[in-house]
Amino acid sequence: MADWWLWAGGAAVLVAAGWWLRRRWRAGRPSSGDIWWADVPYARGQGSKLRPCLVLRRRGDGIVVLKITSQDKSHRRDHVLIPTRRWDARASHDSYLNLGEPIVVRPAAFQRRAGAADLRTRRQVARFRSRSR
């Protein structure tokens, strides 16, 4: 009987350690729904800019993101207002998420995680992407 408890305790420790290690490993990698600061290449021309972006998915050649801008894009149908103060305490106003221009960013370009997109924003992204397919 004592052997059973010993095996169960050892298994519980291994499961907990695996869970903790997986969380630590994933914490340093962009995943869907995360907002990260990344060195995003310009759409036209050469160069890049450090900017916040919303991670959509990983794929073989990089990570697909949507750019976030602080410029007013309220007149555009392919941009939605995104609450910025939830993930950037220094922000003085909300920003806009560019839904119409997904871009692939190399994994090494991601600098730091800023936070996660709120549920409303994720739903708007899903609706826009399902209509544009």
Side-chain angles (χ1 to χ4, degrees), residues 12-74:
V13 167
L14 287 175
V15 167
W19 175 83
W20 182 79
L21 286 171
R22 180 181 164 110
R23 283 186 55 99
R24 298 274 306 178
W25 179 72
R26 288 197 66 194
R29 294 181 51 187
S31 61
S32 180
D34 285 349
I35 296 173
W36 278 72
W37 286 91
D39 196 24
V40 178
Y42 292 128
R44 295 171 195 82
Q46 294 181 355
S48 61
K49 178 181 179 180
L50 182 64
R51 68 177 329 131
C53 55
L54 174 66
V55 176
L56 293 180
R57 68 182 178 281
R58 298 179 74 84
R59 68 180 208 196
D61 59 342
I63 299 170
V64 181
V65 302
L66 296 174
K67 297 183 284 187
I68 297 172
T69 182
S70 59
Q71 296 179 3
D72 183 2
K73 301 288 184 177
S74 57

